[in-house]
Amino acid sequence: EDKVVQSPLSLVVHEGDTVTLNCSYEVTNFRSLLWYKQEKKAPTFLFMLTSSGIEKKSGRLSSILDKKELFSILNITATQTGDSAIYLCAVLNAGGTSYGKLTFGQGTILTVHP
Amino acid sequence: DTEVTQTPKHLVMGMTNKKSLKCEQHMGHRAMYWYKQKAKKPPELMFVYSYEKLSINESVPSRFSPECPNSSLLNLHLHALQPEDSALYLCASSARENGEKLFFGSGTQLSVL
């Protein structure tokens, strides 16, 4: 069974801090790893990673994948209160009866204080 | 703003009621999904529709019945639910069935009394 584990489960920081969120996975037929941000209801897409070692960047957020060690990190620099959210990591299975199935980790709850 | 619209946003129903959740997208996506999310838990896949045909059913109880009338609409019919079915029900769509870049709706918060 596919498995995604995120750490830490929760994190409290102050504005301006830099945070690193971790995601490790076990999947039989890996296709891609995705990061989502969930503030109130709808998870919103952040990054999709398919290749090792290539950093994806969007403003203060960046992410990288290591397919050998089966993990990914999400970095947020100069955090703002608007970054407070649950950050979800998910892996996409591309084989067998699990084709097209997205398995989520339990999420990291990030709280940024002013 | 999400381009996946779900209605209603909130729903309270009794265990003998029949209700339906609705989801609509106009991005031309050919895959649509239902996820269930309990409080402080990650979303769990329920159903996947690809080109209006059911392609994945994650062993969901028959009291949940999905329907895809056309490529833009996805319904979830509810009947004889249990209190433990109370959760946030999220609809999502993607360009293709491989599930990459899912776009989620804001969800329906369901309470079963």
Side-chain angles (χ1 to χ4, degrees):
Chain A
E1 187 174 326
D2 298 344
K3 190 175 178 183
V4 179
V5 177
Q6 292 184 244
S7 64
L9 294 181
S10 65
L11 192 55
V12 180
V13 300
H14 287 92
E15 275 193 318
D17 289 349
T18 293
V19 298
T20 298
L21 309 183
N22 303 293
C23 176
S24 63
Y25 63 90
E26 296 174 22
V27 62
T28 50
N29 292 284
F30 177 86
R31 181 181 178 92
S32 57
L33 183 145
L34 298 94
W35 285 96
Y36 283 86
K37 177 183 181 182
Q38 187 172 25
E39 292 180 79
K40 290 183 180 178
K41 295 287 180 70
T44 53
F45 173 83
L46 294 175
F47 297 111
M48 182 176 72
L49 302 153
T50 54
S51 301
S52 278
I54 299 175
E55 185 183 51
K56 292 277 183 98
K57 197 170 172 64
S58 176
R60 297 176 293 103
L61 278 66
S62 64
S63 184
I64 197 161
L65 174 68
D66 186 327
K67 289 171 72 173
K68 182 179 178 184
E69 300 298 329
L70 306 182
F71 79 90
S72 173
I73 60 172
L74 175 67
N75 278 320
I76 309 175
T77 60
T79 52
Q80 303 171 356
T81 55
D83 295 326
S84 297
I86 301 172
Y87 289 83
L88 295 165
C89 172
V91 292
L92 181 66
N93 191 313
T97 58
S98 296
Y99 181 81
K101 180 178 177 180
L102 204 60
T103 300
F104 285 87
Q106 67 272 57
T108 293
I109 302 172
L110 175 65
T111 304
V112 182
H113 288 309
Chain B
D1 287 343
T2 180
E3 296 182 68
V4 178
T5 304
Q6 288 188 245
T7 56
K9 292 192 187 305
H10 302 275
L11 179 63
V12 179
M13 60 186 290
M15 289 188 284
T16 59
N17 292 157
K18 283 185 182 181
K19 298 286 185 183
S20 296
L21 309 184
K22 298 186 183 300
C23 175
E24 188 169 6
Q25 58 89 12
H26 293 289
M27 296 179 280
H29 288 173
R30 304 317 301 260
M32 296 186 76
Y33 310 77
W34 281 114
Y35 279 82
K36 173 182 177 180
Q37 187 175 24
K38 302 281 275 184
K40 299 186 179 180
K41 297 286 187 183
E44 294 180 349
L45 181 65
M46 299 175 73
F47 302 105
V48 179
Y49 271 83
S50 177
Y51 290 88
E52 300 159 48
K53 287 186 168 46
L54 183 65
S55 61
I56 295 179
N57 176 341
E58 288 288 294
S59 303
V60 179
S62 60
R63 56 186 185 269
F64 295 91
S65 175
E67 178 197 20
C68 190
N70 59 56
S71 60
S72 299
L73 294 173
L74 185 67
N75 298 323
L76 185 63
H77 302 298
L78 314 172
H79 174 54
L81 294 194
Q82 304 296 310
E84 59 264 29
D85 296 322
S86 299
L88 179 68
Y89 288 84
L90 292 163
C91 173
S93 71
S94 64
R96 296 172 299 173
E97 187 189 354
N98 62 16
E100 293 177 343
K101 287 191 181 181
L102 264 66
F103 290 81
F104 284 88
S106 296
T108 293
Q109 188 65 55
L110 174 68
S111 296
V112 182
L113 304 178

